[in-house]
Amino acid sequence: MPIAPARTQVGIIGAGPAGLFLAHLLHRQGIECVILESRSHEDVENTIRAGVLEQWTVDLMLSLGLGERMLREGHFHRGITLRFAGESHHLDFEDLTGGRRVTVYPQHEVLKDLIAARLASGGEIHFGVRDVKLHDLNSKRPHITYTDENGQQQELHCDFIAGYDGSQGPSRQYVEGRTEYQHLYPFGWLGILVEAPPSHHELIYARHERGFALLSTRSPEIQRLYLQCGPTDNVADYSDELIWSELHQRLETVDGWTLTEGRIFQKGVIGMRSFVCDRMQHGRLFIGGDAAHIVPPTGAKGLNLAVADAVYLSRGLECFYRTGQQTLLDQYTNTCLRRIWKAERFSWYMTNLLHTNSTESPFEQRIRLADLDYLVHSQAAATALAENYVGLPLD
């Protein structure tokens, strides 16, 4: 038997970066919201995800009072190192962008901070929900029906719904008249976690004839590394010995730099794709995050794009509740898409620049190397890359 319907101003579907940041932004403005999440609390916090935060995302966390642990445990880099033809080239983002830098702080750690603060403030997050359905989206009183973790049928009535429920969530299917754009890349990443000290003080992006490699970090004791592989490769086919052999070859330098090995305790293969939904609202429903767009991880944009969606929607909702005007809400899709397509372009550029492709001709391979050589020797080109990497300003 259904329980009496609940009521809030904004119903948020999804406790990922977009949904949680939106909840905190609305809370700061005095707007009530409830978050519904299909995964358990433990699953959300224990899904290991890398994370590079743009400067404005870091600044936002600090302004919301959510950045204490990030400042204590995050890694702050002046820039990145590009490696090709056996040589390393440092791009100093702080110099190129007037002081902005790279913050390496994993996404799951960001989520832990946001969830803890949300619950400590008395905010509602309902984990383990299923059978989520949306109703009356073209009315002023939309509502959500779902089954809670105890098997009870529930209704949540609200003024607006934020469908920030990931690429497999139900929300996008309710956006009528949408066009979806997708690009599948002919390669994937084999990611590993390793018990070892850092081999380098910042991220290394390497292009090698055997394929791309990336060296990143999690903590002083745990490092994360990636190898370009086939998108459907089986992890079982990659022994530890094979992984270390490939990493050494792809990251090697002519000056004798060495990679520190350690115990590999996690392996996984991810495919790579770009995806954009060209309509992000329908009636009182607004979608964002992975529900609306996906980028390959090469450009480090995924989490930051999701948070930008939340910022834009919070501005529209704050204006609506303060003035009754829907202008910013009406502009939500176009505002978001301007940023999304720029991030898609940058991620596509970085991915194609650094990865090898069996369909590339020798001519195209030399063009990629010429592009890299130009990039590291041109201040204008390096500045353009740095500005995109540390984060373009919000509109």
Side-chain angles (χ1 to χ4, degrees):
M1 182 175 181
I3 298 173
R7 170 78 187 158
T8 192
Q9 289 174 292
V10 182
I12 301 173
I13 309 172
L20 287 164
F21 267 101
L22 178 61
H24 282 284
L25 289 164
L26 296 180
H27 177 74
R28 184 169 67 175
Q29 297 161 4
I31 300 170
E32 297 176 353
C33 62
V34 172
I35 301 175
L36 306 177
E37 169 58 49
S38 62
R39 296 168 295 169
S40 69
H41 188 166
E42 293 74 18
D43 285 345
V44 172
E45 295 190 346
N46 293 329
T47 300
I48 306 299
R49 298 282 297 274
V52 175
L53 306 183
E54 295 180 356
Q55 183 64 60
W56 71 268
T57 305
V58 171
D59 296 340
L60 177 63
M61 288 187 68
L62 294 174
S63 73
L64 290 168
L66 302 169
E68 179 180 350
R69 195 164 68 93
M70 173 189 63
L71 292 179
R72 187 172 65 250
E73 300 179 13
H75 300 267
F76 303 93
H77 301 167
R78 289 189 64 93
I80 62 172
T81 291
L82 294 178
R83 185 169 289 178
F84 58 97
E87 296 184 349
S88 295
H89 304 268
H90 174 66
L91 298 184
D92 193 317
F93 289 172
E94 286 198 21
D95 283 349
L96 291 166
T97 65
R100 288 180 286 168
R101 58 184 180 176
V102 177
T103 300
V104 180
Y105 189 58
Q107 178 172 310
H108 55 279
E109 302 296 347
V110 174
L111 296 184
K112 288 178 185 177
D113 296 341
L114 269 61
I115 290 171
R118 172 72 179 167
L119 297 177
S121 68
E124 289 186 59
I125 307 177
H126 298 283
F127 294 99
V129 309
R130 59 184 191 276
D131 303 325
V132 173
K133 294 182 175 60
L134 313 185
H135 309 269
D136 301 328
L137 297 176
N138 288 314
S139 75
K140 294 183 178 180
R141 293 291 182 267
H143 69 279
I144 307 167
T145 58
Y146 64 96
T147 303
D148 67 20
E149 61 180 350
N150 298 314
Q152 292 281 344
Q153 300 298 308
Q154 303 283 0
E155 285 189 17
L156 178 64
H157 291 247
C158 43
D159 300 327
F160 299 94
I161 298 172
Y164 288 1
D165 49 353
S167 61
Q168 303 302 314
S171 296
R172 185 173 69 247
Q173 306 309 316
Y174 288 88
V175 178
E176 297 178 0
R178 68 188 186 279
T179 299
E180 298 179 359
Y181 300 88
Q182 180 164 264
H183 177 71
L184 298 178
Y185 296 85
F187 36 73
W189 279 10
L190 170 68
I192 63 171
L193 285 174
V194 180
E195 288 182 351
S199 296
H200 196 61
H201 65 281
E202 62 190 8
L203 283 80
I204 299 176
Y205 288 82
R207 179 184 171 103
H208 189 273
E209 61 184 11
R210 298 183 66 85
F212 168 77
L214 171 62
L215 184 150
S216 184
T217 189
R218 272 277 311 280
S219 72
E221 301 82 23
I222 304 296
Q223 313 311 316
R224 178 172 282 278
L225 299 98
Y226 297 93
L227 284 172
Q228 178 183 340
C229 64
T232 60
D233 281 2
N234 191 331
V235 173
D237 294 333
Y238 287 88
S239 66
D240 290 4
E241 291 76 17
L242 175 59
I243 291 171
W244 287 120
S245 174
E246 287 294 328
L247 284 168
H248 280 291
Q249 291 180 81
R250 299 183 195 190
L251 290 166
E252 68 182 356
T253 61
V254 295
D255 62 6
W257 176 91
T258 57
L259 173 66
T260 303
E261 296 187 14
R263 184 181 72 88
I264 299 174
F265 63 92
Q266 185 186 90
K267 304 176 186 178
V269 172
I270 58 171
M272 301 179 69
R273 66 180 178 127
S274 298
F275 170 83
V276 178
C277 179
D278 77 336
R279 186 168 295 184
M280 297 173 59
Q281 59 196 102
H282 175 72
R284 290 291 182 101
L285 167 67
F286 299 84
I287 66 172
D290 283 358
H293 46 77
I294 293 172
V295 292
T298 327
K301 294 291 156 223
L303 180 152
N304 300 283
L305 269 186
V307 179
D309 295 341
V311 170
Y312 293 139
L313 183 54
S314 72
R315 290 176 179 175
L317 292 169
E318 190 261 343
C319 180
F320 174 83
Y321 284 112
R322 180 170 49 84
T323 69
Q325 299 297 312
Q326 288 195 208
T327 305
L328 292 182
L329 290 175
D330 293 340
Q331 296 172 349
Y332 172 76
T333 290
N334 289 337
T335 302
C336 290
L337 284 177
R338 281 199 299 272
R339 187 177 193 86
I340 290 164
W341 278 114
K342 290 173 186 175
E344 293 282 355
R345 182 210 67 83
F346 179 68
S347 298
W348 175 88
Y349 166 73
M350 288 283 285
T351 301
N352 286 287
L353 179 67
L354 293 165
H355 290 72
T356 58
N357 188 336
S358 60
T359 64
E360 279 185 336
S361 68
F363 175 85
E364 290 171 311
Q365 293 170 6
R366 300 301 297 184
I367 289 293
R368 303 291 188 208
L369 291 173
D371 198 351
L372 281 164
D373 189 56
Y374 172 68
L375 174 61
V376 300
H377 291 103
S378 164
Q379 184 170 359
T383 299
L385 186 146
E387 288 178 344
N388 280 272
Y389 199 102
V390 301
L392 299 174
L394 291 172
D395 292 338

